[in-house]
Amino acid sequence: MIGATPASFREDSMANTPVVDWVSAYVDGQRRAIASVPVEKIAAVVDVVRRAGRDGRRIFICGNGGSAASASHFVTDLGKNASEAAGTPFRCLSLADNVAWMTAIGNDYAYEDVFVRQLVNHAVRGDLLILVSVSGNSPNLVKVAQYARHEGIETVALVGGKRGRLADLADHVLVVEDVHYGRVEDAHMNILHMICY
């Protein structure tokens, strides 16, 4: 019959394959990862960001790799959608977005300075810095968190199950109790969306 799907390509023929089993296990793991973060702690961080926006404080965010992409996504949603819904713009900036500045800092100083040297130029006491890291131990994030603590800049850290040094340095910590990079990054993006919405 023309247009018929061969049996080898039918959806039901995939029901018990290793790929389906793997995807099913991954989805279950993702559910556990996001459920591991207490909703009360997420709500508290939502309130921290809301207050910073209401008070006109600047909100900075940074991360490496996939977390840098999440930082960019977050400021897009916060700066555009959340600002429009709130009626007052959030003053937000991803420290991972200025490639020319980051490469100049990394080349002329050290890669661990790529965020802190930007924050020195932009931030003042009382501003808010959000750090996103699966390991919680990236030297450039640890260094900017130490600077923020010293300068009175409020900090929020989103980390994975290893926690790392950021969990000890930040004022507010959200831990995704998993060590799989993809699942933790996905859960972090879920949380960042919740903050924006």
Side-chain angles (χ1 to χ4, degrees):
M1 175 192 282
I2 295 176
T5 303
S8 61
F9 290 98
R10 281 194 208 135
E11 219 173 274
D12 59 354
S13 70
M14 292 287 294
N16 292 313
T17 69
V19 175
V20 169
D21 292 344
W22 183 89
V23 170
S24 179
Y26 191 97
V27 169
D28 288 343
Q30 195 62 47
R31 286 189 191 111
R32 287 191 302 274
I34 192 62
S36 73
V37 187
V39 293
E40 298 82 8
K41 289 197 170 195
I42 298 172
V45 168
V46 169
D47 198 48
V48 166
V49 175
R50 180 187 291 133
R51 280 187 281 112
R54 182 195 62 209
D55 297 344
R57 293 184 282 147
R58 284 165 288 195
I59 300 168
F60 303 95
I61 185 169
C62 54
N64 294 294
S67 296
S70 295
S72 295
H73 192 150
F74 174 75
V75 295
T76 300
D77 289 347
L78 192 68
K80 179 183 174 291
N81 302 339
S83 292
E84 189 174 304
T88 305
F90 284 90
R91 300 171 66 200
C92 53
L93 177 71
S94 168
L95 300 178
D97 282 349
N98 193 326
V99 175
W101 200 356
M102 289 175 65
T103 56
I105 293 168
N107 186 63
D108 297 345
Y109 303 102
Y111 187 73
E112 68 184 39
D113 292 343
V114 295
F115 298 135
V116 70
R117 283 187 176 268
Q118 292 183 73
L119 204 65
V120 167
N121 284 44
H122 284 298
V124 297
R125 181 173 293 274
D127 283 344
L128 176 63
L129 172 65
I130 302 172
L131 307 126
V132 187
S133 174
V134 177
S135 72
N137 277 322
S138 299
N140 54 6
L141 295 175
V142 169
K143 190 164 186 176
V144 74
Q146 290 169 329
Y147 173 81
R149 173 173 271 203
H150 183 265
E151 296 298 316
I153 297 162
E154 190 172 13
T155 51
V156 172
L158 279 66
V159 297
K162 292 182 180 178
R163 290 168 171 74
R165 294 186 63 201
L166 291 181
D168 297 325
L169 289 168
D171 299 310
H172 314 277
V173 182
L174 297 177
V175 180
V176 176
E177 296 289 0
D178 202 315
V179 295
H180 184 280
Y181 270 72
R183 279 196 294 270
V184 175
E185 287 174 347
D186 288 347
H188 284 167
M189 197 64 240
N190 288 164
I191 292 165
L192 293 172
H193 273 141
M194 287 183 228
I195 293 169
C196 291
Y197 293 146

